[in-house]
Amino acid sequence: GAGVSQSPSNKVTEKGKDVELRCDPISGHTALYWYRQSLGQGLEFLIYFQGNSAPDKSGLPSDRFSAERTGGSVSTLTIQRTQQEDSAVYLCASSLSLYLTATDTQYFGPGTRLTVL
Amino acid sequence: QKEVEQDPGPLSVPEGAIVSLNCTYSNSAFQYFMWYRQYSRKGPELLMYTYSSGNKEDGRFTAQVDKSSKYISLFIRDSQPSDSATYLCAMSQGNYGQNFVFGPGTRLSVLP
């Protein structure tokens, strides 16, 4: 079946512009996660959704970052007034529920590579 | 000190070698441990999931957890060029997805 998809795959923008990144999770997955991956860094957790609700937004790096999820499905991560330090790969993952097991695990999308000039 | 540390590599080995990949961590409360494989320009995919200490084997892969030393390992036997990827460890106190902390990853190259 279809996995997690993300769009665009690559995004080049100018400093100060807003960008919107999209994630389509696996159908039926109630949990959705956003991570940021920079060269040499681990996956930095940004935010998660249980259904349409984001209980904890403390992982977002600044108030320029926001995310929403609608219909328990598609999620968008918006970065306003982009800065060069925002350049990274943004990964989305989904899972059947928040409780991960060997069989009910996170499935990652291919990521959006963001470059801020 | 980072919560989870990994040697970033790159680690280059000849085909057929046994590979040992390791992570150390500082939080003694971690009980759930995972290993992910990430090919270039792809998202990570789960390889191994273990709870608490001990070994777990799946085909050519063995995951080992030593909680007393706060050290986990992933062994790959009979390594293949297709194993060339970045390997990430992840761990958490509980099995809530949002709480897993990832290491920076080790880049592995298996040379034919």
Side-chain angles (χ1 to χ4, degrees):
Chain A
V4 178
S5 61
Q6 292 186 247
S7 60
S9 54
N10 283 285
K11 177 72 176 178
V12 180
T13 190
E14 292 180 348
K15 177 181 170 182
K17 301 277 191 186
D18 297 353
V19 295
E20 201 170 88
L21 313 180
R22 177 186 168 109
C23 173
D24 281 89
I26 292 173
S27 177
H29 279 193
T30 62
L32 185 147
Y33 316 79
W34 283 98
Y35 295 87
R36 178 166 72 174
Q37 187 174 33
S38 305
L39 195 63
Q41 306 294 316
L43 266 65
E44 176 189 2
F45 171 76
L46 299 179
I47 192 169
Y48 79 98
F49 290 87
Q50 174 61 16
N52 292 332
S53 173
D56 181 6
K57 301 180 181 180
S58 63
L60 295 173
S62 75
D63 59 8
R64 296 184 295 103
F65 288 72
S66 63
E68 65 173 13
R69 188 180 185 194
T70 54
S73 181
V74 173
S75 176
T76 54
L77 177 69
T78 301
I79 309 173
Q80 295 179 308
R81 304 180 303 282
T82 52
Q83 304 293 311
Q84 287 181 331
E85 62 261 28
D86 298 334
S87 296
V89 176
Y90 289 83
L91 289 161
C92 172
S94 70
S95 58
L96 201 58
S97 78
L98 284 176
Y99 306 99
L100 301 187
T101 68
T103 51
D104 289 338
T105 183
Q106 285 176 320
Y107 294 87
F108 282 84
T112 293
R113 187 172 297 270
L114 176 66
T115 303
V116 182
L117 301 177
Chain B
Q1 182 191 10
K2 290 185 178 178
E3 206 166 9
V4 179
E5 308 231 31
Q6 271 184 276
D7 186 332
L11 176 63
S12 293
V13 300
E15 183 174 355
I18 296 175
V19 176
S20 171
L21 304 166
N22 312 296
C23 286
T24 57
Y25 60 95
S26 56
N27 188 341
S28 57
F30 287 155
Q31 294 194 89
Y32 293 86
F33 304 91
M34 299 195 286
W35 285 96
Y36 284 86
R37 177 176 62 198
Q38 184 176 21
Y39 291 116
S40 181
R41 304 274 177 165
K42 302 285 187 185
E45 56 178 334
L46 182 68
L47 273 180
M48 301 289 279
Y49 176 106
T50 54
Y51 170 71
S52 196
S53 287
N55 292 0
K56 182 175 181 179
E57 190 173 317
D58 184 0
R60 296 185 295 111
F61 299 91
T62 299
Q64 197 171 76
V65 174
D66 182 348
K67 289 181 67 181
S68 62
S69 302
K70 289 185 274 191
Y71 187 90
I72 68 170
S73 300
L74 177 70
F75 297 96
I76 307 174
R77 288 182 300 282
D78 186 26
S79 56
Q80 303 295 309
S82 58
D83 295 326
S84 298
T86 296
Y87 291 80
L88 302 157
C89 62
M91 50 196 77
S92 177
Q93 181 174 349
N95 65 337
Y96 291 92
Q98 71 275 20
N99 292 337
F100 277 87
V101 180
F102 286 77
T106 298
R107 192 151 57 94
L108 171 68
S109 289
V110 181
L111 307 173

